[in-house]
Structures are given as structure tokens and as C-alpha cells.
Amino acid sequence: MAVLAYSLGKREINQYFSIKNAKLLSLVAVILLTVVHSATRYYGGGDTCDWLLSSGRFLGNSVWQPYGCMMHKYKSIEAKTCLNNKRIAFIGDSRIRQLFYAFIKIINPDTKEDGNKHENIPFADRESSVNVDFLWYAEVNNSMKEQVTAWVERPFNKPDVIIIGAATWSIKLHSGSSETLLQYKANLTSIAAPLEKLTEHSEVYWVLQDPVYEELLSENRKMITNEQIDQYNAAAVSALNNSKRNSKARVKFLEASRQAAMETVAQSVDGLHLPESTRNVGAMVLMNSICNKILKPIDGSCCQSVPPLSILQKLAAGLFLTAGICFLVLHALGYSKHRKCRPVSDVESGEEKKPPIAAVPLNLKEALLSACKMGLIMLYFYLCDRADIFMKEQKFYTHSTFFIPLIYIFVLGIFYNENSKEAKLLNREQTDEWKGWMQLVILIYHISGASAFIPVYMHVRVLVAAYLFQTGYGHFSFFWLKGDFGLYRVCQVLFRLNFLVVVLCLVMDRPYQFYYFVPLVTFWFVVIYATMAMWPQILQIKANGNCFWHLALLLKLLGLLVFICFFAYSQEFFESVFSVWPLSKLFELQGSIHEWWFRWKLDRFAVIHGMLFACVYLVLQKFQILSEGKGEPIFSNRISNCLLFISVVSFITYSIWASSCKNKTECNEMHPYISVVQILAFVLIRNIPGYARSLYSSFFAWFGKISLELFICQYHIWLAADTKGILVLIPGNPSLNIIFSTFIFVCVAHEISQITNDLAQVAIPKENGALIKRMLAAVVFFGLVLFLSKSRQAGY
């Protein structure tokens, strides 16, 4: 009964939830969300600087999250670069002095708080010519007004940034009388005009008063209540934001530190002065407000304007627009020339996927329709991660944000289990399943920021190595068994691997190496192809007749190993090779080859491990040493149990080692040599028992079929700020936001996978003559792209 209920439950779910319906829902959701966010920005005030300065929340461990945008954590060198030759003035009481010290500690972390409490304190950094002064003005009075007026009258001496605020001394000295509050407002009103005059050429911030912890206040401060502070803040906002004088407030209010203080004021030493974590929030908010528009950090979306379209982005827009016009013209003319659909090759397994229908018509009109769909999808990518429409938030790792979703997906994976069509080791369903659950783990790893936790980081490194292991296994098996080294096969694989990334490079204005996994897999495919295709070509048919060819194949693999080791142990040679144009355009990131060197070196042996494993497996299979019937262990019971025991011990041993890692650098040095232990252990555990080989998770396998698209799409429509943050479609509710953004993200990835398959059939003709013409056209196009990108860099 339980099995029947389980089967009926899955059938009921599948009946009402199809991918077609899901895509329609996601399209409606995208349109509605875009309209709502656009209207909110236009009518409700979508200035990210206001969000940064006014509100936010603690994510934990003193990590402050502004509302709707990302705050960059500035380092000393960045602060000095931004503030070079600038003068900054902090004016106010002891609380402003605290903010002053927190601010200059960003510039120089070794600064000591040794200035006189009730006097002016200067700070200068000779290296960057930054001058930051604290001016002691405990009350808003004529003395403060004279200082501000002096800057207006002598603009050559005025600061570039002014941070000002005071109130608690007025409350304390006058026992919180109502007359003092009225005088405070009057003094602020008189000072407002010169402050606004200063905003024409300087940035002026009024710091709203932070709350106090009344229980800890000393007797002579008991009159400073939160009620009084709220009244003084209201007076400041009213005086400095006078609609009769200025319809738009030009003096900026720093309220974020007040929001942070509400959560941390109980940690105050004396009830009045704030703990260091809260001061640091205020200082970092100020630094982001001042510097983000200058340095434009990737992970600092607050206070950044939308960058202008590059030449390449305009080119991409023109191409998609042309495709749309051509489609409409053909549709109006009723064009319907058909072309026979061909099998599409799986880029990782090397197998061919037959279309669901034997002869699906594919014509020029449908190809243009696919290009139009791609154009609309790319528009969504641009709106998510380049336009100033959707919000972005920073990541913050906790164990629960990583492990709880992990448990959810594995429960779902177990729920959707099916019988395999075949029981071969690493059969098609199983490799799809493997890629699927690995990709889901990597997605959770990225969105949760789990790279901060070294044990998780090291295990995810193994997953990336396992992808490359499958690349070596799949392509070696294809070439060994089929011997197809034709140009069509190469172009087909290269197209399917690179189509989405090339389009994203144009649309999102990012270098090819930014999407590091695709260059990595592409490089290794070319290496595998070259190894197997070069003389002498060794195939299974040839090797069956003479065992000498197996030895020759091993010598080929040994030569590949020597090639890898030579590159790995000669960084200078490696960099000199990949720094040559046009390879440098493919493998450089921000003008450096270092990222490519790091990625390549980290998993340099994974592909050859996969090739060697495939070689051994196919030889054993050919000589019928393996038992691959359903329900049968792959070896005899004794050998199977022995190998299972060794595999489990090896798997656990690696996990213990990874969990004991203290330093990423040292562990990364060991990773290329020992990651294969975890991979082989998993393969054997998954395949030795016959019952395990006979089942697979259709849930994971579904995701495995679009794993490449999922990995690439996450950069811009699930994550944000080029993976540094999280896309926010539903503000104020992180859980609901993840559900919505994930749903749309998966639907988009699936649609892109289908579009890529469709366009591959048109772009890569099987006839050599037509294929060579397409290749020449591609060379001309990419030459134009390289020329335009070079011209753009020269313009900078």
C-alpha cells in the first residue's frame, strides 16, 4: 500500500506540474515583478544611497545588510585610493568622535584613540594625502554655525565631505527642557542654509542621534532618554528638510548607524557610547556612500549608477533586434521551409541524445524564433544584474543556510527514484543523476556563501574535479568506442559548451574567463581530442586485435601526464603561453592570467584520471570481467565487499582530512593529488552493489541534463553582482525570495538548454563545405568582437 501511495503521489504531482506550465508561470512572474519593481523605483524612491543611509539589518557577527543593496567592505588601500587628496571633517560631540575614529581606522587600522576628548583631533595620511579632522562642537549653536559659514565664505578651505551631528549635550546641560528643544530647532534652521550651500560642491551628512541604554546611564546623564532623542531627531529632520526652502533635501541623513544601535545598544559600556561593532557600521556606510560611485566595487551596489552600454552590448542588442525583425518578416510571408532534426550530442558524456520525436521539423523561422527567445532571456539577465531595477543583497554564511537546503534536496531526490533502463557502470541515467545532485550542492554552496567554511569548500572542490573526471571519462569513451574525430563532432561540442557564455560575454560585458568553468572544460575537451586524434589513432576495434595497442594508449596517456606536469611546475612558461594574443583574450581576467592558472592547476589531474578510469573499465568490460546485470554485484561477492569496505574507509578518511583543513592554500596544494580518492570511492560505492546500480533519482537526473546551463545562469539571475551577492525579487522575505528566484532561474536554464540544442542544429551543419563556411563566418565575427573590445580598452 505504501509503495502504491508513493507511486500515485508522484503521478499526481507530474500530472499537474509540467515544465511547459512552469515556464509560463515564470514568464508571468518575471513580467509582474519587473513592472512592480520598476514602478516602485519610479514612484516610491529607488535611490540606493537612501537605502544605504537609512535602513538595514544585522545578518550576524556584526555584518550589516542595507535594505535592497550591497555594502562593500573597504580595505585600507581602497579607502586611500578613493579619498586621495580629499579633506573630510567630522563635527560634533563624543559620539561623532567615535564615528571619526572608526572611519580613520578603515584608512589606517593601526590608529590609536589617543586624542583629547574635548578638543579638535587631526588625522593625515601622507601616502594618500587624505586629511580627516574631528572638530569638537558639542552643541548646535552659534559656534558651530560660524564654522559652517566660514567654509561657505572661504570655499578654498572647505572639506570635500562633512559629517556633522550633536544633541545629547544640549539635553544633558539643560535637563531636557522643552525650551532647549525649541532653541535646538531654531539653531538648526539657521545653520541649514549654509549647510545646503555647502552641498553644491561637498557631501554633507547629518548624523541622527543613536538611542541610549537608559539602565546603564550615570546619574548626570539620566535626563538623556530615548524619548528626548526621538524628539531631537524629528527636529533635525524638520529643520534640514524644509520643503519651503528646498523641495529636495540635499543634506543627507545618516540613520543606518541608529538602526544598528537599536540592536546593539545593550552592549554599551556606559549606556551612551556605542559598542565598536555599531560604530564600524556607521563608518562603513559612510565609506560606501562616498566611495562606491568612484571605485565601483562589484560587491557594492549601493550608491552606484547604471553603467553605460558598451559597444559589444550594443552589438548584441542589434543582433537580437535583427533576428526579431527577420522573424516577423518571415512570419508575415508565411515562410515554412523544413529541415530535418538531428541527434544532439551530450557535451559531457559524449553520447548522443535522440530527439523525443524522430523527425521534428526545424526551419529558419523557428531558428529565428529561438534567437528571439534568447534575446528576451538576455534582456532579463541584463535587468537582473546590470540595470537598476531589482535589488541585491550580500551573502552571509551560517551552517543552517547550507545544510538545511541540502537535506531538502536529498529528500526530494530519494522521493523521485526510478528503475534504470540499464545496469552498466556509470550508465546514462546515473551520470545525469551525478551531475544533477552535484550541481544542486554547488548552487546551495554559492548562494549560502559556504566557501567561508573550509570543510564545505574542500568537498565542493571535489565536486568540480568530479565534473572534469566525467569530462575525461565521457569523451574518452566516445572517441575510443566510435572513433569519430570529424570536424562536425568538434564544432558541435564546442558550440554547445560555449554558446551561452559567448552570448553572456556580449550582453553582460564580461570576459570569457569570468565564466571559468566553460573555458576549463573547453580546454580539456580540446586536449582529449588532440590526445586521441593524433597519430597513431588508437580505437577499441584496433586494440581488440592486438594488445600492443593498449600499451601504446597507455604511453599516450603518459605523454599527456608529462605535458600536464610540465605546465603545472613551470608557471612562467604557462603564463607566457596563455598571455599570447589571441589566447590572452580568452584566458585573462582583469589583465592577468593568474585566475586561469589557479583554476587550471587546481584540478589538473582530474581529466586524465577520468580517461584512465574509462580505459580500464572498457577493457574489463570487453574481456567480460565485470558482471553488469540488474541486481548483480559488479564483481564476485568477496571482491565486491572488499572494494566496498576500502571505498567507504577512503571516503570517510578524505572527509575527515578535509574537515581538519585549517588553511585553503595548503589544502588546495594537496587537492589535485587526492581528490581522485573521493571520486573513485563514490563511483565504487554507487556501482558495486547491483541494487544501487539498478536505481537512479529522476529528480537529480533532470537537473543533471541542464547542469551546464544552471552553473552559468546562476551568475546573473539567481546570484547577483557577478556572483558576489543574491538577487532580490521579493524584498523583506528571504525565504520567499529564494523560492521565487529559484523557480524562475531553473525555468530559464531549461529553456536556454533547449534553445542551444535547436540553434546547434542550424549553426553546425553536417556537410563539411557548409560547416567550413560557418567557421569562417565565426572567425570574422569573433575578430570583429576582439577588435571592438580592444578599441574600447584603448578608449579608457
Side-chain angles (χ1 to χ4, degrees):
M1 289 297 293
V3 174
L4 178 61
Y6 167 76
S7 178
L8 289 174
K10 287 196 296 183
R11 192 180 303 169
E12 190 73 14
I13 293 172
N14 294 333
Q15 180 180 353
Y16 293 103
F17 190 80
S18 66
I19 186 62
K20 182 179 179 180
N21 292 337
K23 288 177 182 177
L24 288 174
L25 285 174
S26 67
L27 177 62
V28 172
V30 166
I31 294 172
L32 289 176
L33 288 168
T34 303
V35 170
V36 169
H37 278 266
S38 300
T40 302
R41 288 293 181 98
Y42 186 79
Y43 294 106
D47 188 347
T48 55
C49 277
D50 287 343
W51 295 347
L52 170 69
L53 295 169
S54 62
S55 60
R57 67 186 189 277
F58 274 115
L59 297 178
N61 294 337
S62 305
V63 177
W64 182 253
Q65 171 60 62
Y67 173 76
C69 63
M70 296 168 61
M71 188 170 76
H72 178 66
K73 187 175 182 180
Y74 277 88
K75 298 177 182 177
S76 174
I77 189 171
E78 294 172 313
K80 290 177 181 179
T81 302
C82 166
L83 303 176
N84 186 36
N85 292 318
K86 280 186 168 55
R87 288 193 61 227
I88 301 169
F90 284 78
I91 309 173
D93 54 18
S94 57
R95 286 173 149 191
I96 299 297
R97 184 178 65 239
Q98 282 189 307
L99 187 59
F100 159 79
Y101 274 117
F103 188 85
I104 62 175
K105 282 182 179 179
I106 300 175
I107 303 170
N108 183 0
D110 297 327
T111 302
K112 306 295 182 183
E113 298 186 27
D114 53 6
N116 295 322
K117 289 186 176 181
H118 296 168
E119 294 182 7
N120 297 343
I121 305 172
F123 169 82
D125 182 80
R126 295 180 181 178
E127 181 182 347
S128 58
S129 300
V130 178
N131 289 279
V132 187
D133 296 313
F134 169 71
L135 306 179
W136 173 259
Y137 288 96
E139 291 190 86
V140 179
N141 53 23
N142 286 333
S143 297
M144 182 182 283
K145 181 180 178 182
E146 288 171 4
Q147 177 61 70
V148 173
T149 305
W151 284 329
V152 174
E153 295 173 351
R154 295 189 292 276
F156 61 88
N157 197 35
K158 67 177 177 56
D160 298 286
V161 182
I162 300 168
I163 297 99
I164 183 171
T168 55
W169 273 76
S170 297
I171 300 172
K172 174 184 173 182
L173 293 177
H174 303 282
S175 301
S177 66
S178 56
E179 292 81 4
T180 305
L181 176 60
L182 293 174
Q183 186 61 48
Y184 177 82
K185 186 173 183 179
N187 292 343
L188 262 180
T189 302
S190 67
I191 210 174
L195 278 178
E196 289 184 358
K197 185 69 176 175
L198 286 172
T199 61
E200 294 177 4
H201 303 287
S202 302
E203 293 185 62
V204 181
Y205 298 87
W206 182 269
V207 182
L208 294 178
Q209 292 297 301
D210 300 320
V212 296
Y213 194 61
E214 297 178 12
E215 297 178 11
L216 290 179
L217 291 174
S218 59
E219 287 301 322
N220 64 340
R221 290 174 176 167
K222 286 293 185 183
M223 70 290 297
I224 307 175
T225 64
N226 286 320
E227 183 181 356
Q228 285 279 333
I229 284 175
D230 289 341
Q231 292 175 358
Y232 274 73
N233 281 336
V237 172
S238 175
L240 297 175
N241 193 16
N242 193 323
S243 59
K244 293 181 180 179
R245 182 174 56 253
N246 189 356
S247 59
K248 183 178 180 181
R250 300 172 68 182
V251 176
K252 302 173 184 177
F253 292 100
L254 176 58
E255 190 178 0
S257 58
R258 168 178 168 78
Q259 295 262 336
M262 291 179 179
E263 300 185 39
T264 62
V265 69
Q267 302 168 21
S268 171
V269 176
D270 57 8
L272 178 67
H273 298 99
L274 299 174
E276 185 177 5
S277 60
T278 311
R279 288 178 260 159
N280 292 341
V281 167
M284 198 60 73
V285 165
L286 282 172
M287 193 68 76
N288 275 257
S289 181
I290 297 166
C291 294
N292 280 6
K293 54 185 171 289
I294 299 172
L295 297 186
K296 302 184 184 303
I298 293 175
D299 59 342
S301 65
C302 303
C303 293
Q304 279 205 52
S305 57
V306 178
L309 291 176
S310 69
I311 296 175
L312 295 180
Q313 287 174 314
K314 292 176 182 177
L315 174 63
L319 290 174
F320 284 123
L321 185 60
T322 302
I325 294 172
C326 292
F327 170 76
L328 292 175
V329 170
L330 291 179
H331 182 73
L333 296 175
Y335 182 86
S336 60
K337 183 179 179 181
H338 296 302
R339 188 178 298 185
K340 190 176 179 181
C341 179
R342 290 182 295 274
V344 178
S345 185
D346 180 72
V347 297
E348 291 178 8
S349 72
E351 299 176 10
E352 288 188 340
K353 297 186 291 184
K354 293 183 179 179
I357 302 175
V360 178
L362 187 67
N363 55 50
L364 178 61
K365 178 181 172 183
E366 289 172 337
L368 289 171
L369 177 60
S370 294
C372 293
K373 289 179 182 178
M374 193 69 179
L376 292 174
I377 290 172
M378 287 301 106
L379 176 62
Y380 177 62
F381 272 72
Y382 182 86
L383 293 177
C384 286
D385 210 18
R386 289 296 179 268
D388 193 18
I389 292 180
F390 296 112
M391 300 176 179
K392 303 172 178 67
E393 290 189 352
Q394 54 222 40
K395 304 174 188 177
F396 179 72
Y397 175 74
T398 62
H399 292 321
S400 61
T401 57
F402 177 76
F403 288 104
I404 290 177
L406 209 61
I407 294 170
Y408 285 161
I409 66 163
F410 276 101
V411 168
L412 280 172
I414 294 170
F415 178 74
Y416 280 95
N417 68 79
E418 307 285 347
N419 291 318
S420 298
K421 294 178 182 177
E422 54 184 348
K424 291 195 304 181
L425 184 142
L426 289 180
N427 58 68
R428 178 58 188 277
E429 288 99 343
Q430 189 184 134
T431 54
D432 281 342
E433 173 201 87
W434 191 6
K435 288 184 291 184
W437 70 256
M438 286 196 303
Q439 186 56 62
L440 292 176
V441 172
I442 290 172
L443 291 175
I444 295 171
Y445 165 83
H446 281 155
I447 202 166
S448 64
S451 61
F453 187 47
I454 294 180
V456 172
Y457 168 82
M458 291 309 302
H459 281 85
V460 169
R461 292 263 55 82
V462 173
L463 300 187
V464 175
Y467 268 104
L468 295 175
F469 178 92
Q470 285 196 56
T471 298
Y473 174 85
H475 289 301
F476 176 91
S477 300
F478 179 87
F479 292 129
W480 173 257
L481 296 172
K482 298 192 176 183
D484 182 1
F485 298 102
L487 189 61
Y488 169 72
R489 163 70 184 176
V490 175
C491 292
Q492 189 185 54
V493 173
L494 292 179
F495 181 90
R496 293 203 67 251
L497 279 174
N498 291 276
F499 171 70
L500 174 57
V501 164
V502 169
V503 173
L504 284 176
C505 287
L506 297 175
V507 173
M508 306 306 289
D509 195 24
R510 281 293 174 263
Y512 180 64
Q513 180 57 32
F514 176 74
Y515 307 93
Y516 75 91
F517 186 72
V518 169
L520 198 60
V521 177
T522 302
F523 171 83
W524 284 115
F525 168 73
V526 173
V527 169
I528 296 167
Y529 176 81
T531 302
M532 300 297 291
M534 70 180 184
W535 184 89
Q537 289 184 1
I538 304 171
L539 310 177
Q540 187 185 57
I541 297 175
K542 184 184 291 187
N544 287 342
N546 192 337
C547 290
F548 166 78
W549 291 113
H550 290 103
L551 178 61
L553 179 63
L554 292 176
L555 289 175
K556 267 194 173 187
L557 294 179
L558 180 61
L560 176 58
L561 180 62
V562 171
F563 163 81
I564 293 170
C565 291
F566 180 75
F567 267 79
Y569 296 111
S570 180
Q571 183 175 355
E572 291 183 3
F573 180 73
F574 181 95
E575 293 184 350
S576 65
V577 170
F578 288 100
S579 296
V580 175
W581 193 91
L583 288 179
S584 59
K585 299 300 295 182
L586 298 177
F587 297 107
E588 281 185 354
L589 190 62
Q590 297 178 343
S592 172
I593 213 76
H594 178 75
E595 179 70 13
W596 169 238
W597 160 254
F598 170 75
R599 297 291 183 183
W600 180 88
K601 188 179 179 183
L602 198 58
D603 296 304
R604 58 188 179 273
F605 297 124
V607 168
I608 197 170
H609 286 150
M611 295 173 71
L612 187 59
F613 179 83
C615 178
V616 172
Y617 164 65
L618 292 172
V619 169
L620 293 176
Q621 186 186 57
K622 185 63 181 176
F623 288 99
Q624 298 182 347
I625 297 174
L626 307 177
S627 300
E628 294 185 298
K630 285 199 173 184
E632 297 178 0
I634 207 162
F635 298 105
S636 65
N637 288 333
R638 185 175 181 180
I639 295 176
S640 295
N641 291 336
C642 183
L643 286 176
L644 272 177
F645 177 77
I646 294 172
S647 299
V648 170
V649 170
S650 300
F651 195 92
I652 295 173
T653 301
Y654 179 91
S655 294
I656 293 172
W657 172 81
S659 300
S660 65
C661 275
K662 303 298 181 184
N663 183 287
K664 282 185 180 180
T665 303
E666 293 178 3
C667 293
N668 282 338
E669 287 295 322
M670 290 292 296
H671 169 77
Y673 304 100
I674 62 175
S675 60
V676 68
V677 173
Q678 188 88 328
I679 295 169
L680 290 178
F682 168 77
V683 171
L684 293 176
I685 293 169
R686 180 71 179 82
N687 284 275
I688 286 177
Y691 61 85
R693 251 184 7 264
S694 302
L695 294 173
Y696 80 103
S697 169
S698 58
F699 176 80
F700 290 142
W702 189 89
F703 285 99
K705 292 173 184 175
I706 58 170
S707 60
L708 183 67
E709 288 77 15
L710 287 171
F711 189 89
I712 300 167
C713 289
Q714 67 169 319
Y715 278 66
H716 303 295
I717 61 169
W718 198 51
L719 304 175
D722 294 342
T723 75
K724 302 296 183 182
I726 299 171
L727 180 67
V728 178
L729 300 178
I730 310 294
N733 193 324
S735 298
L736 190 60
N737 176 66
I738 290 296
I739 292 171
F740 264 83
S741 64
T742 302
F743 175 70
I744 295 171
F745 157 59
V746 171
C747 290
V748 168
H750 189 276
E751 183 64 21
I752 289 177
S753 177
Q754 291 189 334
I755 290 171
T756 305
N757 288 339
D758 291 341
L759 293 180
Q761 297 173 55
V762 177
I764 313 297
K766 205 161 189 177
E767 301 77 18
N768 282 337
L771 181 56
I772 291 173
K773 290 179 182 178
R774 300 282 172 86
M775 290 178 64
L776 290 174
V779 169
V780 172
F781 174 76
F782 288 117
L784 175 63
V785 169
L786 291 177
F787 173 77
L788 293 175
S789 63
K790 189 175 182 180
S791 301
R792 177 170 173 260
Q793 290 173 356
Y796 286 141

